[in-house]
């Protein structure tokens, strides 16, 4: 099942999709669960799938939102693939612990919505990072690794937009420029993914393949990431964890290739979907 959030005629909605048509949740379903996060909180995916009064809306008629527009937290994992870092150096030793930082929801837009080049000098180092995102479906704290995957509601594609120069100020600054990143187009539920560590991630810039890796190449597995994060905080339904980005970002290329207005970025996760965003200028 693919879960979507959207705007239709300016009004927020959610539902399921086959990639062409949306089954938009009925008024009765939305009265019970006003958004997808509430669906997960109430363990109501079955009710959404069976919603007898859902209406059909063409996917092309809506503006896509991040699948969970209002997560309580968005956690991102850094340095989780082996790659040169900093970009002019050589690959460092594997990190001794999982590296986490937070992403604000204002930093992210949905599929098909333009990401925004920062104003002024930060635009000179505006970069992309294609990632696999996991969405939490069940509450958990201090979760053992062997039980961690039971918390997963599903998977999505994620672009961790980054301003490299401002990462030198702080990770938070470089990773949280407004509308600099994106995720979507939807959440593909966990029951459709037989082996999450077999997922393939690929990123294309203007049609050219710039990143490609398997989840199996992660230094820390998805289960390890969930278990680690759950030691810090109680994971809640609707929380998002972006699992790290492989080599091939613009800052690691020779010559460097940062994002420019008019670019098109596509982040694909096998069996999940493709997130597409054009790059717009600062408005």
């Amino acid at each position: 099942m693919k879960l979507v959030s959207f705007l239709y005629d300016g009004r927020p909605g959610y539902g399921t999709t086959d990639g062409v048509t949306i089954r938009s949740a009925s008024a009765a379903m939305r009265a019970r669960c006003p958004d997808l996060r509430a669906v997960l909180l109430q363990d109501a995916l079955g009710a959404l799938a069976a919603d007898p009064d859902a209406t059909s809306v063409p996917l092309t008629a809506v503006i896509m939102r991040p699948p969970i527009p209002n997560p309580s937290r968005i956690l991102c994992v850094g340095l989780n693939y082996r790659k040169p870092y900093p970009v002019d150096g050589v690959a460092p030793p594997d990190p001794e612990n999982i590296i986490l930082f937070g992403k604000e929801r204002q930093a992210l837009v949905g599929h098909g919505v333009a990401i925004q080049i920062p104003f002024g000098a930060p635009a000179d180092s505006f970069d992309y990072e294609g990632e696999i995102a996991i969405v939490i479906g069940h509450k958990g704290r201090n979760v053992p690794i062997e039980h961690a995957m039971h918390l997963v509601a599903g998977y999505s594609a994620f672009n961790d937009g980054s301003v490299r120069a401002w990462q030198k100020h702080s990770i938070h600054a470089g990773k949280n420029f407004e509308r600099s990143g994106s995720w979507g187009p939807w959440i593909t539920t966990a029951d459709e993914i037989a082996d999450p560590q077999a997922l393939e991630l690929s990123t294309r810039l203007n049609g050219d393949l710039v990143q490609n890796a398997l989840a199996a190449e992660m230094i820390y597995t998805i289960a390890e990431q969930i278990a680690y994060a759950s030691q810090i905080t109680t994971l809640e339904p609707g929380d998002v964890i972006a699992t790290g980005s492989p080599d091939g970002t613009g800052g690691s290329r020779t010559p460097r290739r940062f994002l420019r207005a008019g670019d098109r970025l596509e982040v694909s996760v096998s069996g999940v979907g493709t997130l597409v965003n054009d790059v717009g200028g600062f408005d």
Side-chain angles (χ1 to χ4, degrees):
M1 186 162 53
K2 293 177 173 59
L3 311 174
V4 291
S5 294
F6 57 86
L7 295 174
Y8 182 54
D9 287 340
R11 297 187 298 273
Y14 68 88
T16 63
T17 185
D18 59 4
V20 177
T21 302
I22 294 171
R23 289 187 75 252
S24 179
S26 65
M29 185 71 201
R30 284 183 280 112
R32 173 184 171 185
C33 300
D35 50 42
L36 271 180
R37 182 182 172 198
V39 171
L40 295 177
L41 282 164
Q42 297 185 37
D43 198 19
L45 285 177
L48 176 61
D51 186 356
D53 299 313
T55 55
S56 294
V57 179
L59 196 68
T60 54
V62 307
I63 296 173
M64 301 287 277
R65 305 175 75 192
I68 305 291
N70 57 340
S72 62
R73 62 184 58 80
I74 304 162
L75 299 174
C76 298
V77 178
L79 298 181
N80 199 31
Y81 290 85
R82 295 177 179 93
K83 57 185 177 181
Y85 190 90
V87 292
D88 293 325
V90 296
D94 292 351
E96 294 182 6
N97 299 290
I98 294 174
I99 298 170
L100 285 183
F101 58 89
K103 198 91 167 174
E104 304 290 345
R105 69 182 73 166
Q106 293 85 355
L108 299 166
V109 300
H111 169 74
V113 177
I115 57 178
Q116 184 183 68
I117 286 193
F119 176 75
D124 295 338
S125 60
F126 182 38
D127 209 348
Y128 57 86
E129 291 194 31
E131 309 197 13
I132 299 167
I134 58 176
V135 180
I136 299 299
H138 300 284
K139 185 175 181 177
R141 181 76 195 275
N142 295 318
V143 179
I145 290 174
E146 59 268 25
H147 297 311
M149 299 307 292
H150 296 304
L151 268 65
V152 177
Y155 303 86
S156 193
F158 196 95
N159 167 36
D160 177 21
S162 306
V163 176
R164 299 304 186 192
W166 280 55
Q167 281 184 245
K168 297 176 182 178
H169 302 183
S170 67
I171 293 178
H172 186 89
K175 296 291 190 174
N176 279 286
F177 275 73
E178 190 163 333
R179 291 166 51 188
S180 61
S182 55
W183 75 285
W186 43 65
I187 300 165
T188 297
T189 52
D191 60 296
E192 295 193 6
I193 306 300
D195 180 5
Q197 292 301 144
L199 291 172
E200 182 177 8
L201 169 70
S202 59
T203 304
R204 287 178 169 79
L205 179 60
N206 300 328
D208 295 329
L209 183 66
V210 290
Q211 290 183 290
N212 185 242
L214 296 173
E217 297 174 51
M218 293 177 182
I219 296 169
Y220 290 101
T221 66
I222 292 170
E224 288 171 324
Q225 293 173 54
I226 294 169
Y228 181 86
S230 77
Q231 293 180 68
I232 302 166
T233 186
T234 300
L235 296 177
E236 302 280 353
D239 287 354
V240 182
I241 300 177
T243 58
S245 190
D247 195 20
T249 57
S252 69
R253 308 189 77 79
T254 304
R256 294 179 181 180
R257 174 53 166 98
F258 293 120
L259 294 171
R260 301 188 286 258
D263 284 339
R264 171 161 288 192
L265 191 68
E266 302 171 70
V267 181
S268 298
V269 180
S270 59
V272 174
T274 298
L275 169 68
V276 181
N277 299 96
D278 291 333
V279 180
F282 186 85
D283 53 31

